[in-house]
Amino acid sequence: KAGVTQTPRYLIKTRGQQVTLSCSPISGHRSVSWYQQTPGQGLQFLFEYFSETQRNKGNFPGRFSGRQFSNSRSEMNVSTLELGDSALYLCASSLYTSGSGTDTQYFGPGTRLTVL
Amino acid sequence: AQSVTQLGSHVSVSEGALVLLRCNYSSSVPPYLFWYVQYPNQGLQLLLKYTSAATLVKGINGFEAEFKKSETSFHLTKPSAHMSDAAEYFCAVSSGYSSASKIIFGSGTRLSIRP
């Protein structure tokens, strides 16, 4: 079974631009979560989607948004990029059997975003 | 509210020595606890998870962790370190069965193995 895939793997943008990152979950997984990983803040939860609905949201500004499609693939968008948005963005999928808190999350390799 | 604290941002051990990575949690409800490993330029991989069954949890690659409620700890151990264990390790906590629960990660511990 193929793992979680994220595209692109690397991205360079300039301040003020917007970016869209894509995540394809493991086949059969219905939940997709997004995380931002930086050396200073560590791993921070962005949001979780299940059945095309946002179930959970972290403490990030409205510039960060996401969506999930009917095939469970997910995208996240960051508008008006800032230097501080430079990070590794990780996507994780899970079956969502009884709630995301206990499910094993399977992570993709991440998208490394650099904002200049 | 939940939180997790990993003691020691960097741990170095000799090959063959005991690995001990410390994790303490705070949770107002019975927690679910996880250890993940991240190798360079890769995503996170689940090592093991505690979901209120046995307090001693065995994971992959010879790792295990013991849930100690009285100490609010979930330390990760491996009897004999291998060079391939060099990676970053994350402890995480969640409130379990809830549509609103989310997983909170610790700041990570980088494990180095000396030859």
Side-chain angles (χ1 to χ4, degrees):
Chain A
K1 201 180 249 188
V4 178
T5 58
Q6 293 187 244
T7 56
R9 290 292 311 276
Y10 300 91
L11 207 48
I12 299 176
K13 292 285 188 179
T14 56
R15 278 181 300 175
Q17 287 188 307
Q18 76 165 18
V19 66
T20 299
L21 312 181
S22 180
C23 171
S24 293
I26 291 172
S27 178
H29 284 195
R30 303 159 69 192
S31 169
V32 173
S33 298
W34 288 89
Y35 296 85
Q36 182 195 65
Q37 186 177 26
T38 60
Q41 299 297 317
L43 267 162
Q44 291 187 285
F45 173 77
L46 278 157
F47 28 64
E48 178 197 9
Y49 285 86
F50 173 72
S51 291
E52 303 177 63
T53 302
Q54 188 180 88
R55 289 284 179 140
N56 266 317
K57 191 178 190 311
N59 296 322
F60 279 81
R63 300 185 297 107
F64 291 82
S65 63
R67 60 177 174 169
Q68 186 180 35
F69 302 94
S70 58
N71 61 358
S72 294
R73 189 177 71 85
S74 177
E75 289 181 347
M76 68 163 281
N77 183 277
V78 188
S79 62
T80 320
L81 284 166
E82 301 178 359
L83 295 179
D85 297 333
S86 294
L88 180 67
Y89 289 88
L90 292 164
C91 164
S93 75
S94 68
L95 282 168
Y96 202 91
T97 50
S98 303
S100 56
T102 60
D103 284 340
T104 296
Q105 297 204 327
Y106 296 84
F107 284 79
T111 294
R112 173 77 61 186
L113 172 65
T114 302
V115 182
L116 302 176
Chain B
Q2 298 163 291
S3 65
V4 61
T5 302
Q6 292 184 242
L7 301 174
S9 60
H10 183 210
V11 170
S12 180
V13 302
S14 297
E15 190 174 19
L18 171 72
V19 174
L20 170 60
L21 304 183
R22 299 176 187 274
C23 172
N24 287 89
Y25 69 91
S26 172
S27 179
S28 57
V29 297
Y32 289 77
L33 296 157
F34 307 80
W35 274 101
Y36 282 87
V37 61
Q38 185 178 32
Y39 298 100
N41 298 315
Q42 293 186 28
L44 278 69
Q45 179 185 9
L46 181 72
L47 279 175
L48 49 83
K49 68 178 180 181
Y50 167 77
T51 56
S52 75
T55 56
L56 182 63
V57 183
K58 294 188 183 298
I60 62 172
N61 303 339
F63 284 94
E64 62 182 36
E66 186 172 8
F67 173 70
K68 291 187 177 180
K69 184 178 178 180
S70 61
E71 299 178 9
T72 61
S73 69
F74 190 57
H75 302 331
L76 182 71
T77 60
K78 181 173 181 177
S80 177
H82 192 272
M83 296 299 291
S84 61
D85 295 327
E88 184 126 24
Y89 292 79
F90 293 91
C91 181
V93 64
S94 84
S95 59
Y97 291 105
S98 165
S99 62
S101 70
K102 48 193 174 189
I103 297 178
I104 307 298
F105 286 87
S107 56
T109 297
R110 184 164 61 90
L111 176 64
S112 299
I113 311 296
R114 301 188 300 271

